[in-house]
Amino acid sequence: MAVCATCGNDYWLSFEIRTITGDSYTFDSFECAMEKLAPRCEYCEVRIVGHGVEVSGKFFCCANCARRDGGLGEQIRDAVGTHPGVTSERAR
């Protein structure tokens, strides 16, 4: 058994994650792994567990947060393509 790096639970189904920097962590759940390793949005501070958005070296959970943080990310959109019937001005 191994002890979770986040919550300290000693669990027989724990798993190990190695990061690109060579650090190694043991977790008992994906929830604990995300809490320890997932970055936080620079604007709303939620954990970024999907692709997220990077603008000028800052990480955001979505394009909306990137735009709200000092006007960064004006050209970024959350979706590919546009909704039928929506002009490009309204899609922003």
Side-chain angles (χ1 to χ4, degrees), residues 9-88:
N9 185 29
D10 193 2
Y11 187 48
W12 70 279
L13 288 175
S14 61
F15 56 94
E16 183 179 81
I17 293 180
R18 293 175 192 243
T19 65
I20 195 166
T21 61
D23 296 327
S24 179
Y25 300 94
T26 299
F27 299 105
D28 68 342
S29 67
F30 287 115
E31 181 179 11
C32 284
M34 289 185 290
E35 181 60 33
K36 179 84 170 172
L37 299 175
R40 289 196 180 268
C41 176
E42 296 272 350
Y43 183 77
C44 72
E45 298 185 4
V46 305
R47 290 280 179 203
I48 303 170
V49 295
H51 291 269
V53 176
E54 181 184 0
V55 179
S56 300
K58 296 172 95 177
F59 293 93
F60 302 94
C61 64
C62 63
N64 183 57
C65 283
R67 286 190 295 271
R68 289 177 169 221
D69 187 64
L72 297 173
E74 289 298 323
Q75 72 284 4
I76 298 172
R77 292 193 11 216
D78 279 328
V80 176
T82 58
H83 187 273
V86 176
T87 64
S88 60

